[in-house]
Amino acid sequence: MTILAIESSCDEFSVAIMIDNKIKANIISSQIKDHSQYGGVIPELASRLHVKNFSIVIKEALLKANISLDKVEQIAYTARPGLIGSLIIGKLVAQTLALYLNVPIMDLNHIEGHIYGASIEEEFIYPVLALVVSGGHTQIIHLKEALSFEILGTTQDDAVGECYDKVARALGLGYPGGPKIDNNAQNGNENFYILPVVKKDDSFDFSFSGLKTASLNLINKLKISNKEINVNDFCASFQKCAIENLMIKFEKAIKIIKPRTITLAGGVSSNKLLRKKIFSIASMYNISRTIVPQLQYCTDNAAMIANLCREYLIKNKK
């Protein structure tokens, strides 16, 4: 089976080719340079750039996979959630290809794709507990079996990646904030600044608005007082608190679900401290399988959509 998958939910347009369950190409057209001057993603600009770049990305993916377009047997694309304009471009491209090739088409969920992006190289052993962390989503999802997505907890306000971006902007680090805070934190003292751990209740839900507000207020207070902000120490202190907020709820879910596999999903899953912490928790609770996605599959990419499509095709055959 040859699958051509498209991911266009935000500011990346990606095309992947999967042949006989193996990813042969995963091409990503990134727009970070175009949006960084605005401090975040501009939806209309993202859509326009998708229109400009999609044909180039498709051609490059086919070339990398060393196949012709007429060999494609299945089309898959991200239908939700995401920026509506970006999603529409991906949908139109996918529908056009499916109609031209006269092959089936599958519309898929972006978050589900991120979860199965972690299993491209390593198969899940169920039940699975996934921590989804990105610029737009923070969730704990339980999979009792393949493709059975149960949301146990979600953010009540800001997503963790959004919180990173806003704090990075206040520190003058620019966009995207997550990788920049993570890199600066490696050289900082995580106990230098005191920030709150919030949402200490019995639910699995998250809240990052309190951490964001406390961080921005502290930055502003230091600036008003003409006190120097040690950026590395602030990044380390902020990151320690953000990851602790995630781990408190994830650990609570582990105790109840008792999963055989735990995994990370989403752009923030590339965070060095988070990747370290999840292995630490796995060891603490004797979890047999811990899967973190390869860095190339952490951010938005079409390989994760291709792998999710593969899972649904397997299920449909059964």
Side-chain angles (χ1 to χ4, degrees):
M1 171 64 73
T2 299
I3 301 169
L4 186 151
I6 294 171
E7 156 59 35
S8 68
S9 62
C10 193
D11 61 328
E12 287 98 359
F13 194 95
S14 178
V15 174
I17 307 291
M18 175 179 272
I19 302 175
D20 296 333
N21 303 327
K22 298 292 183 182
I23 297 295
K24 298 298 185 179
N26 184 39
I27 307 302
I28 304 171
S29 173
S30 174
Q31 302 175 5
I32 287 177
K33 290 183 179 179
D34 300 281
H35 296 277
S36 59
Q37 59 184 309
Y38 303 107
V41 176
I42 305 300
E44 183 177 349
L45 176 60
S47 301
R48 290 178 180 273
L49 290 172
H50 286 339
V51 172
K52 178 181 177 182
N53 296 326
F54 77 81
S55 61
I56 299 170
V57 180
I58 293 172
K59 290 175 183 177
E60 188 173 344
L62 292 170
L63 183 64
K64 179 72 180 295
N66 194 30
I67 65 164
S68 58
L69 185 60
D70 60 2
K71 298 299 183 182
V72 173
E73 300 168 275
Q74 172 77 51
I75 301 291
Y77 71 97
T78 300
R80 61 202 170 273
L83 302 178
I84 186 65
S86 294
L87 290 171
I88 287 173
I89 301 303
K91 177 180 179 179
L92 290 175
V93 172
Q95 288 179 330
T96 301
L97 288 172
L99 185 63
Y100 172 74
L101 296 170
N102 192 29
V103 298
I105 186 170
M106 189 180 296
D107 62 300
L108 297 171
N109 183 287
H110 176 76
I111 303 302
E112 294 179 6
H114 267 307
I115 293 172
Y116 276 91
S119 72
I120 291 174
E121 302 295 337
E122 297 183 68
E123 292 290 335
F124 289 150
I125 299 175
Y126 298 92
V128 174
L129 197 63
L131 178 61
V132 179
V133 280
S134 69
H137 305 277
T138 306
Q139 296 178 329
I140 297 174
I141 297 181
H142 172 217
L143 290 82
K144 188 174 182 180
E145 57 188 23
L147 302 173
S148 63
F149 302 95
E150 178 190 5
I151 299 175
L152 300 181
T154 189
T155 182
Q156 301 298 290
D157 37 64
D158 293 15
V160 63
E162 179 184 1
C163 189
Y164 265 86
D165 285 340
K166 290 177 178 176
V167 171
R169 185 187 306 171
L171 290 171
L173 297 178
Y175 173 86
K180 294 178 180 180
I181 286 180
D182 191 19
N183 289 333
N184 279 278
Q186 307 309 309
N187 300 310
N189 176 3
E190 64 180 19
N191 298 312
F192 193 87
Y193 295 102
I194 305 301
L195 294 167
V197 176
V198 296
K199 197 70 176 170
K200 290 184 177 180
D201 58 14
D202 292 330
S203 75
F204 297 124
D205 293 328
F206 302 96
S207 173
F208 285 94
S209 64
L211 175 59
K212 175 194 69 177
T213 301
S215 300
L216 298 183
N217 285 345
L218 180 54
I219 292 169
N220 290 333
K221 181 180 179 180
L222 293 170
K223 287 180 178 178
I224 291 171
S225 302
N226 292 318
K227 293 182 179 179
E228 181 182 356
I229 300 174
N230 187 307
V231 174
N232 288 345
D233 289 343
F234 200 100
C235 288
S237 300
F238 166 80
Q239 176 153 283
K240 173 192 175 184
C241 198
I243 301 304
E244 188 175 346
N245 274 282
L246 291 170
M247 289 296 101
I248 287 173
K249 295 306 179 83
F250 194 55
E251 187 174 350
K252 188 188 298 289
I254 288 172
K255 291 177 182 177
I256 294 175
I257 299 300
K258 295 179 173 56
R260 296 181 66 191
T261 301
I262 57 174
T263 187
L264 296 174
V268 184
S269 64
S270 63
N271 182 276
K272 298 179 184 69
L273 180 59
L274 181 56
R275 293 168 84 92
K276 179 181 177 181
K277 289 288 187 181
I278 195 170
F279 281 105
S280 176
I281 281 186
S283 176
M284 187 185 308
Y285 291 96
N286 297 314
I287 296 170
S288 61
R289 201 165 184 81
T290 305
I291 302 177
V292 295
Q294 293 188 18
L295 293 178
Q296 63 181 317
Y297 302 136
C298 289
T299 55
D300 294 348
N301 66 92
M304 67 187 196
I305 300 302
N307 199 43
L308 179 63
C309 176
R310 177 184 72 92
E311 287 289 335
Y312 274 108
L313 290 173
I314 291 171
K315 181 180 178 179
N316 291 341
K317 283 183 180 180
K318 293 179 180 178

